[in-house]
Amino acid sequence: MLAHGDALVLVVVALLLDALIGDPDWLWRRLPHPVVWIGNGIGWLERRLNRESWSGRQRRLAGVVTVIVLVSCAIFAGGLFADLLNDNWIGFAIEALIASLLIAQRSLYQHVARVHHAFTDGGLAGARQAVAMIVGRDPERLDEAGVARAAIESTAENFSDGIVAPVFWLASLGLPGLIAYKAINTADSMIGHRSARYRDFGWAAARLDDLVNLIPARLSGILVALVAPVAGGSIISSLKIMMRDAGKHRSPNAGWPESAMAGALGIAIAGPRVYAEGAVNDPYLNAEGRTAGPDDISRALRVFIAACVLQAAIYAALALLL
């Protein structure tokens, strides 16, 4: 296993690799992405353990067993990779490359930027198609402001669980921590729903995902607030709105980066929206803010880039100190 200082160096190298390379489409058209492997494992377990004939209590217990098996396998795989690759600089570089594949800086930027470009190239219809690739809500119900809010909320939330959280667990527990986090987060996205099929079976996945994101979500909100000036916002205002409104979100974690982003941009986000499983009548975050527009997506991306740079700089400074 890596010493803590080396783990921080691994974080910095992985962040740089992800920023430079991202997720190359040519590679993943030929090979399954590591998250696809994780998802296949979750699907295999779900098909065998989530039985309709079982009671709610039995299905909840089966979900607990699924999460234990999943996390155990993830930690074992991460530990195996770390032990095999920890002998020389070539192994360290491969380990950093593996870690970079599970961090989503570049891919998130590209997906959100496509929504902004779509407004120019294809108007509202094109923007709806682009935003449907990154959010679960019904795109046909979204007007221009709704598409902009969806893209900005996705930027903020995925900055937390796609970048800050995996990096936090990589820094804390090395490659086993990173792979275990991605397994938990993927399980939450696949089975942690409130639908009839997953309400009981996915309970453990959803609760564990909430737990492992508690610290990273709050760190994400602070990072977003600290770089608010790049979008013309105020650090103090963003922090105040985050502290006031984060608890209004139905998620115990997503409200932190989202409300910080709303404060940084001076816009209202969240609020009522329609998903495939039904309507959600949530309160707005920064309700006194103005209505979001397409140009606010590019401002959110500026905040996102600055927050990613700040995070990398913090880990680099810690690595130098340790």
Side-chain angles (χ1 to χ4, degrees):
M1 296 295 289
L2 294 171
H4 198 63
D6 292 335
L8 294 171
V9 175
L10 179 66
V11 165
V12 175
V13 176
L15 285 170
L16 289 174
L17 286 173
D18 176 58
L20 292 172
I21 301 172
D23 282 334
D25 290 338
W26 63 266
L27 177 61
W28 304 127
R29 282 196 296 266
R30 293 166 174 80
L31 294 172
H33 191 280
V35 172
V36 174
W37 293 348
I38 293 171
N40 288 340
I42 295 167
W44 186 87
L45 289 166
E46 192 272 339
R47 287 191 296 274
R48 283 153 182 79
L49 297 178
N50 188 17
R51 301 185 181 182
E52 292 184 5
S53 60
W54 286 356
S55 68
R57 184 175 181 180
Q58 288 174 314
R59 293 171 82 171
R60 181 171 289 202
L61 180 60
V64 171
V65 171
T66 296
V67 169
I68 291 172
V69 171
L70 181 68
V71 174
S72 299
C73 290
I75 292 173
F76 174 79
L80 183 63
F81 279 124
D83 287 341
L84 291 174
L85 299 172
N86 197 28
D87 287 338
N88 52 55
W89 69 268
I90 295 176
F92 181 87
I94 295 172
E95 190 174 355
L97 181 60
I98 293 172
S100 74
L101 299 177
L102 300 175
I103 302 170
Q105 293 172 120
R106 188 179 182 92
S107 61
L108 177 57
Y109 177 87
Q110 290 171 333
H111 279 98
V112 177
R114 287 191 191 108
V115 181
H116 182 250
H117 297 324
F119 271 114
T120 302
D121 299 337
L124 179 58
R128 283 171 170 166
Q129 289 182 343
V131 84
M133 301 298 292
I134 58 174
V135 299
R137 62 198 71 178
D138 182 0
E140 297 306 316
R141 301 284 193 100
L142 299 175
D143 57 9
E144 186 176 273
V147 171
R149 286 200 310 272
I152 293 165
E153 290 163 30
S154 181
T155 304
E157 182 177 3
N158 285 296
F159 172 62
S160 177
D161 60 21
I163 300 161
V164 175
V167 168
F168 174 84
W169 289 109
L170 175 62
S172 301
L173 300 174
L175 202 57
L178 170 61
I179 297 177
Y181 172 77
K182 292 302 293 185
I184 294 166
N185 191 243
T186 304
D188 178 59
S189 67
M190 289 180 64
I191 63 175
H193 305 297
R194 300 176 183 178
S195 63
R197 180 176 179 83
Y198 297 118
R199 185 177 295 111
D200 293 307
F201 182 77
W203 173 84
R207 297 293 74 77
L208 185 57
D209 184 73
D210 288 342
L211 179 63
V212 297
N213 278 294
L214 279 175
I215 295 174
R218 286 144 183 83
L219 291 176
S220 302
I222 293 171
L223 287 168
V224 167
L226 289 175
V227 299
V230 303
S234 161
I235 295 174
I236 299 300
S237 177
S238 183
L239 286 172
K240 284 182 176 178
I241 290 167
M242 179 183 74
M243 297 302 296
R244 186 194 70 189
D245 288 357
K248 296 178 180 179
H249 202 285
R250 60 174 174 159
S251 163
N253 296 316
W256 292 86
E258 288 188 24
S259 56
M261 182 68 81
L265 302 180
I267 61 172
I269 60 175
R273 50 203 186 274
V274 179
Y275 292 92
E277 57 267 27
V280 173
N281 191 28
D282 286 351
Y284 284 97
L285 305 178
N286 192 29
E288 67 272 22
R290 59 179 175 77
T291 301
D295 289 342
D296 291 309
I297 300 175
S298 63
R299 295 176 63 226
L301 287 173
R302 288 204 300 274
V303 170
F304 169 73
I305 292 171
C308 287
V309 171
L310 177 59
Q311 175 182 236
I314 290 171
Y315 280 111
L318 290 172
L320 289 172
L321 288 172
L322 295 175

